[in-house]
C-alpha cells in the first residue's frame, strides 16, 4: 500500500496545484487496490457483478455440428456451379435427437434448425430454396445451380465455445450476454468479487436534507442523490450518511464511522480553496490525504487519499445499508479510500465519472477502465482554453447524413443540473485542445449504461 507521498514521488512533474486529468487517473490507479473477498452467486444474482474466476469451457458449444436452418442436409461435395442437384429425401432429422442412418450420394435428409447433422453431411439447403419434386412415395428435391457452397447453413461443433478454452476471464463485468454464455455452458453459480461498500455524505451548513424546512440561503442536498444513483449503477452497496454539519465533532464521527464501515468514502463540498469549514482539517487529521486543484472544468478542487476508521459498535439500523456483514465490520478497524469531491452538483457528477468511477471499478476487481469515447461533429462553436480539460454537457444524435452530431445542452454552469439531465453524454475537450469550430470532431463520453 503506497502512501500519498510515495505515489506523488512516482508521478513525473506532479503538481497538486495544477494536476491534469490523465494524471489524476494515473494517481488513483496507484492508490486503490481491488477487494479480496468473494461470493458464490447464482446466475440470476450475478448481473453486474465482477467475475473472480476464469471460466474454462467444460463443454463445446454447440456440442455437435448442427443445422442453422430448416431444410435438407446433404454432402456439399456434390454441388456444381453449373448443374442443378437432385436428391432423394431418405428421412427426417429432428432437433433434440440424433438421426440414425446413413446417407449415400444422391440422397439427403430433411432437417430442422438445431438438429444434429447426420454423419457425413456438411451442407443444408434452406427449405425455401429447395424445390420438391418426385412423389409422396419417392420424395425428391432439386437445388438450383450456383446458390450454395459446401458447408453452408451448418453450425460447427464448438464454433461458439471450445471445450478447454477460456470462455470468460477474471475481472469481467457480467453483462446479460455473459450470463447467457455461462448458462450455455451449464454453469449455474459463479464466484464473483464481493460488492464494494461505499459510504457517502454531504457537507455544508447551507445544505438541507429532504424533509427539512427551507430557510434563507439554504439549498436542498442533491449530491447525495446523484452519488447514490451513480453508485447503484455500478452495483455498489451504499451507505447513506446524510448531511454532516460544519462541526468538528460531527465531521470526525462521520469520517471515522464511514471509514470503518466502507471500502470508499465519498464526500461532497468543503474542499474548495477558500473553504472556512472543518472538512479539510478533519480529512488532514484522520487520514493521508492530498488536496488538489485539477486543471479541469467543472470540478477544480478535490481531495483524495485514505481515511482511518474506528471500531463501529452502534446498531446497523441507524444507517441505511443495503447488504453487508455488520459483525465483520464491528471488529475490524480499517482504512477507506477517500474521494472528497467538490460541492457543485455538476462538478460532483463530472469528477465521479472521470475519476471516481474508474477507481471504483478497479476496486471492484473489474478490468473495464474508462468508457470508450465516441467521435461526433459539433453543430456549434465551443470556446475552449488550452491548459485544462473541459467537460461540456451535450446530446449526441444522428445527423441528416447519418453521421453523429453533438450539441451542448444550454447553461454549462457547474451547479446547473437541468443541462445535465438533458445531456446524453459529456463532450470531452482535452487538456491541449483549443476552440472548437462548427463541424469540428469532438470526443464524447456517453452516459448510456454508465449513469
Ligand atoms: P463547496 O465546494 O462546499 O464550496 O460548495 C460549492 C457549491 O456547491 C455551493 O454553492 C454549495 O452550496 C453547493 N453544494 C455543496 N454541497 C451541495 C449538495 N450536497 N447539494 C447541492 N448543492 C451543494
Ligand atoms: Mg461548502
Amino acid at each position: 500500500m503506497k502512501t500519498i507521498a510515495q505515489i506523488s514521488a512516482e508521478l513525473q512533474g506532479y503538481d497538486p496545484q495544477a494536476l491534469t486529468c490523465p494524471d489524476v487517473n494515473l494517481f488513483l490507479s496507484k492508490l486503490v487496490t481491488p477487494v479480496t473477498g468473494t461470493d458464490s452467486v447464482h446466475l440470476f444474482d450475478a448481473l453486474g457483478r465482477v467475475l473472480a474466476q476464469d471460466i474454462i469451457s467444460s463443454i463445446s458449444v454447440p456440442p455437435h455440428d448442427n443445422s442453422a436452418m430448416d431444410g435438407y442436409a446433404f454432402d456439399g461435395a456434390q454441388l456444381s456451379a453449373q448443374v442443378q442437384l437432385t436428391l432423394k429425401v431418405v428421412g427426417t432429422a429432428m432437433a433434440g435427437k440424433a438421426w440414425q442412418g446413413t446417407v449415400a450420394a444422391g440422397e439427403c435428409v430433411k432437417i430442422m434448425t438445431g438438429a444434429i447433422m447426420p454423419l457425413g453431411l456438411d451442407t443444408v439447403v434452406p427449405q425455401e430454396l429447395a424445390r420438391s419434386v418426385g412423389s409422396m412415395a419417392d420424395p425428391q428435391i432439386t437445388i438450383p445451380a450456383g446458390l450454395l457452397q459446401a458447408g453452408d447453413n451448418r453450425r460447427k461443433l464448438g464454433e461458439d465455445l471450445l471445450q478447454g478454452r477460456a470462455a470468460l476471464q477474471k475481472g469481467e463485468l457480467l453483462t446479460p450476454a455473459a450470463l447467457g454464455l455461462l448458462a450455455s455452458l451449464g454453469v449455474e453459480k459463479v464466484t464473483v468479487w464481493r460488492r464494494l461498500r461505499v459510504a457517502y455524505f454531504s457537507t455544508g451548513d447551507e445544505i438541507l436534507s429532504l424533509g427539512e424546512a427551507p430557510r434563507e440561503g439554504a439549498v436542498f442536498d442533491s449530491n447525495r442523490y446523484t452519488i447514490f444513483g451513480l453508485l447503484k449503477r455500478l452495483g455498489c452497496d451504499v451507505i447513506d450518511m446524510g448531511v454532516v454539519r460544519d462541526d468538528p465533532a460531527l465531521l470526525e464521527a462521520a469520517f471515522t464511522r464511514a471509514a470503518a464501515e466502507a471500502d470508499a468514502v465519498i464526500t461532497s463540498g468543503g474542499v474548495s480553496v477558500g473553504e472556512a469549514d472543518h472538512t479539510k482539517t478533519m480529512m488532514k487529521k484522520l487520514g493521508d490525504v492530498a488536496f488538489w486543484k485539477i486543471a479541469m472544468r467543472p470540478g477544480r478542487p478535490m481531495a483524495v487519499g485514505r481515511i482511518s476508521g474506528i471500531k463501529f459498535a452502534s446498531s446497523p439500523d441507524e444507517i441505511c445499508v443495503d447488504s453487508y456483514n455488520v459483525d465483520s465490520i464491528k471488529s475490524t478497524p480499517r482504512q477507506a479510500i477517500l474521494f472528497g469531491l467538490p460541492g457543485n452538483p455538476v462538478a460532483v457528477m463530472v469528477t465521479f465519472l472521470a475519476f471516481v468511477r474508474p477507481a471504483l471499478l478497479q476496486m471492484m476487481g473489474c478490468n473495464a477502465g474508462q468508457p470508450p469515447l465516441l467521435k461526433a461533429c459539433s453543430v456549434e462553436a465551443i470556446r475552449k482554453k488550452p491548459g485544462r480539460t473541459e467537460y461540456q454537457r451535450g446530446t449526441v444524435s444522428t445527423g441528416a447524413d447519418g453521421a453523429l452530431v453533438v450539441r451542448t445542452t444550454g447553461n454549462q454552469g457547474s451547479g446547473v443540473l437541468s443541462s445535465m439531465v438533458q445531456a446524453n453524454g459529456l463532450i470531452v475537450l482535452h487538456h491541449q485542445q483549443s476552440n472548437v469550430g462548427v463541424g469540428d470532431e469532438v470526443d464524447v463520453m456517453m452516459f448510456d449504461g454508465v449513469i
Side-chain angles (χ1 to χ4, degrees), residues 203-207 268-272 275-277 279 343:
T203 68
D205 278 348
E206 80 283 25
I207 309 301
S268 69
V271 292
S272 325
E275 280 292 334
D277 67 26
T279 308

PDB file of all heavy atoms in Angstrom, residues 203-207 268-272 275-277 279 343, ligand 2:
ATOM      1  N   THR A 203     -21.533  17.735   2.918  1.00  0.00           N
ATOM      2  CA  THR A 203     -21.092  18.655   3.962  1.00  0.00           C
ATOM      3  C   THR A 203     -21.531  20.075   3.622  1.00  0.00           C
ATOM      4  O   THR A 203     -21.731  20.397   2.450  1.00  0.00           O
ATOM      5  CB  THR A 203     -19.555  18.653   4.106  1.00  0.00           C
ATOM      6  OG1 THR A 203     -18.986  19.240   2.932  1.00  0.00           O
ATOM      7  CG2 THR A 203     -19.010  17.253   4.297  1.00  0.00           C
ATOM      8  N   GLY A 204     -21.668  20.879   4.633  1.00  0.00           N
ATOM      9  CA  GLY A 204     -22.018  22.289   4.429  1.00  0.00           C
ATOM     10  C   GLY A 204     -23.207  22.681   5.277  1.00  0.00           C
ATOM     11  O   GLY A 204     -24.207  21.968   5.308  1.00  0.00           O
ATOM     12  N   ASP A 205     -23.072  23.806   5.954  1.00  0.00           N
ATOM     13  CA  ASP A 205     -24.151  24.275   6.830  1.00  0.00           C
ATOM     14  C   ASP A 205     -25.375  24.736   6.050  1.00  0.00           C
ATOM     15  O   ASP A 205     -26.472  24.829   6.598  1.00  0.00           O
ATOM     16  CB  ASP A 205     -23.652  25.431   7.716  1.00  0.00           C
ATOM     17  CG  ASP A 205     -22.907  24.885   8.933  1.00  0.00           C
ATOM     18  OD1 ASP A 205     -23.000  23.658   9.171  1.00  0.00           O
ATOM     19  OD2 ASP A 205     -22.225  25.670   9.615  1.00  0.00           O
ATOM     20  N   GLU A 206     -25.156  25.044   4.748  1.00  0.00           N
ATOM     21  CA  GLU A 206     -26.283  25.554   3.956  1.00  0.00           C
ATOM     22  C   GLU A 206     -27.070  24.416   3.292  1.00  0.00           C
ATOM     23  O   GLU A 206     -28.030  24.654   2.577  1.00  0.00           O
ATOM     24  CB  GLU A 206     -25.777  26.540   2.890  1.00  0.00           C
ATOM     25  CG  GLU A 206     -25.178  25.935   1.620  1.00  0.00           C
ATOM     26  CD  GLU A 206     -23.757  25.396   1.762  1.00  0.00           C
ATOM     27  OE1 GLU A 206     -23.353  25.029   2.886  1.00  0.00           O
ATOM     28  OE2 GLU A 206     -23.057  25.303   0.733  1.00  0.00           O
ATOM     29  N   ILE A 207     -26.675  23.179   3.544  1.00  0.00           N
ATOM     30  CA  ILE A 207     -27.301  22.059   2.834  1.00  0.00           C
ATOM     31  C   ILE A 207     -28.441  21.453   3.667  1.00  0.00           C
ATOM     32  O   ILE A 207     -28.235  21.041   4.812  1.00  0.00           O
ATOM     33  CB  ILE A 207     -26.255  20.958   2.509  1.00  0.00           C
ATOM     34  CG1 ILE A 207     -25.032  21.574   1.809  1.00  0.00           C
ATOM     35  CG2 ILE A 207     -26.875  19.859   1.659  1.00  0.00           C
ATOM     36  CD1 ILE A 207     -25.325  22.290   0.509  1.00  0.00           C
ATOM     37  N   SER A 268     -19.038  15.353  -0.508  1.00  0.00           N
ATOM     38  CA  SER A 268     -19.117  16.466  -1.457  1.00  0.00           C
ATOM     39  C   SER A 268     -19.136  17.757  -0.665  1.00  0.00           C
ATOM     40  O   SER A 268     -19.709  17.836   0.422  1.00  0.00           O
ATOM     41  CB  SER A 268     -20.352  16.338  -2.342  1.00  0.00           C
ATOM     42  OG  SER A 268     -21.523  16.543  -1.594  1.00  0.00           O
ATOM     43  N   GLY A 269     -18.434  18.737  -1.221  1.00  0.00           N
ATOM     44  CA  GLY A 269     -18.368  20.061  -0.604  1.00  0.00           C
ATOM     45  C   GLY A 269     -17.213  20.170   0.375  1.00  0.00           C
ATOM     46  O   GLY A 269     -16.633  19.174   0.818  1.00  0.00           O
ATOM     47  N   GLY A 270     -16.866  21.405   0.645  1.00  0.00           N
ATOM     48  CA  GLY A 270     -15.871  21.666   1.691  1.00  0.00           C
ATOM     49  C   GLY A 270     -14.423  21.480   1.287  1.00  0.00           C
ATOM     50  O   GLY A 270     -13.548  21.491   2.152  1.00  0.00           O
ATOM     51  N   VAL A 271     -14.131  21.305  -0.015  1.00  0.00           N
ATOM     52  CA  VAL A 271     -12.721  21.135  -0.396  1.00  0.00           C
ATOM     53  C   VAL A 271     -12.198  22.286  -1.260  1.00  0.00           C
ATOM     54  O   VAL A 271     -11.079  22.239  -1.753  1.00  0.00           O
ATOM     55  CB  VAL A 271     -12.475  19.772  -1.113  1.00  0.00           C
ATOM     56  CG1 VAL A 271     -12.658  18.623  -0.141  1.00  0.00           C
ATOM     57  CG2 VAL A 271     -13.373  19.600  -2.332  1.00  0.00           C
ATOM     58  N   SER A 272     -13.021  23.322  -1.427  1.00  0.00           N
ATOM     59  CA  SER A 272     -12.564  24.470  -2.235  1.00  0.00           C
ATOM     60  C   SER A 272     -11.455  25.220  -1.513  1.00  0.00           C
ATOM     61  O   SER A 272     -11.266  25.060  -0.306  1.00  0.00           O
ATOM     62  CB  SER A 272     -13.707  25.454  -2.490  1.00  0.00           C
ATOM     63  OG  SER A 272     -14.908  24.786  -2.641  1.00  0.00           O
ATOM     64  N   GLU A 275     -12.432  27.530   1.496  1.00  0.00           N
ATOM     65  CA  GLU A 275     -13.380  26.972   2.460  1.00  0.00           C
ATOM     66  C   GLU A 275     -12.980  27.292   3.894  1.00  0.00           C
ATOM     67  O   GLU A 275     -11.857  27.045   4.312  1.00  0.00           O
ATOM     68  CB  GLU A 275     -13.467  25.452   2.297  1.00  0.00           C
ATOM     69  CG  GLU A 275     -14.347  25.016   1.154  1.00  0.00           C
ATOM     70  CD  GLU A 275     -15.823  25.309   1.369  1.00  0.00           C
ATOM     71  OE1 GLU A 275     -16.267  25.389   2.528  1.00  0.00           O
ATOM     72  OE2 GLU A 275     -16.526  25.482   0.361  1.00  0.00           O
ATOM     73  N   ALA A 276     -13.932  27.820   4.635  1.00  0.00           N
ATOM     74  CA  ALA A 276     -13.646  28.159   6.022  1.00  0.00           C
ATOM     75  C   ALA A 276     -14.108  27.032   6.944  1.00  0.00           C
ATOM     76  O   ALA A 276     -14.068  27.166   8.151  1.00  0.00           O
ATOM     77  CB  ALA A 276     -14.369  29.451   6.369  1.00  0.00           C
ATOM     78  N   ASP A 277     -14.587  25.952   6.376  1.00  0.00           N
ATOM     79  CA  ASP A 277     -15.169  24.919   7.242  1.00  0.00           C
ATOM     80  C   ASP A 277     -14.116  23.893   7.698  1.00  0.00           C
ATOM     81  O   ASP A 277     -12.932  24.001   7.400  1.00  0.00           O
ATOM     82  CB  ASP A 277     -16.383  24.260   6.582  1.00  0.00           C
ATOM     83  CG  ASP A 277     -15.994  23.457   5.369  1.00  0.00           C
ATOM     84  OD1 ASP A 277     -14.844  22.998   5.312  1.00  0.00           O
ATOM     85  OD2 ASP A 277     -16.841  23.283   4.476  1.00  0.00           O
ATOM     86  N   THR A 279     -14.072  20.585   7.112  1.00  0.00           N
ATOM     87  CA  THR A 279     -13.973  19.327   6.360  1.00  0.00           C
ATOM     88  C   THR A 279     -12.520  18.978   6.033  1.00  0.00           C
ATOM     89  O   THR A 279     -12.061  17.867   6.303  1.00  0.00           O
ATOM     90  CB  THR A 279     -14.808  19.423   5.057  1.00  0.00           C
ATOM     91  OG1 THR A 279     -16.113  19.859   5.411  1.00  0.00           O
ATOM     92  CG2 THR A 279     -14.891  18.099   4.354  1.00  0.00           C
ATOM     93  N   GLY A 343     -18.330  20.683  -4.219  1.00  0.00           N
ATOM     94  CA  GLY A 343     -19.726  20.738  -3.800  1.00  0.00           C
ATOM     95  C   GLY A 343     -20.719  20.922  -4.930  1.00  0.00           C
ATOM     96  O   GLY A 343     -21.851  20.432  -4.867  1.00  0.00           O
TER      97      GLY A 343
HETATM   98 MG1  LIG B   2     -19.180  24.321   1.444  1.00  0.00          MG
END
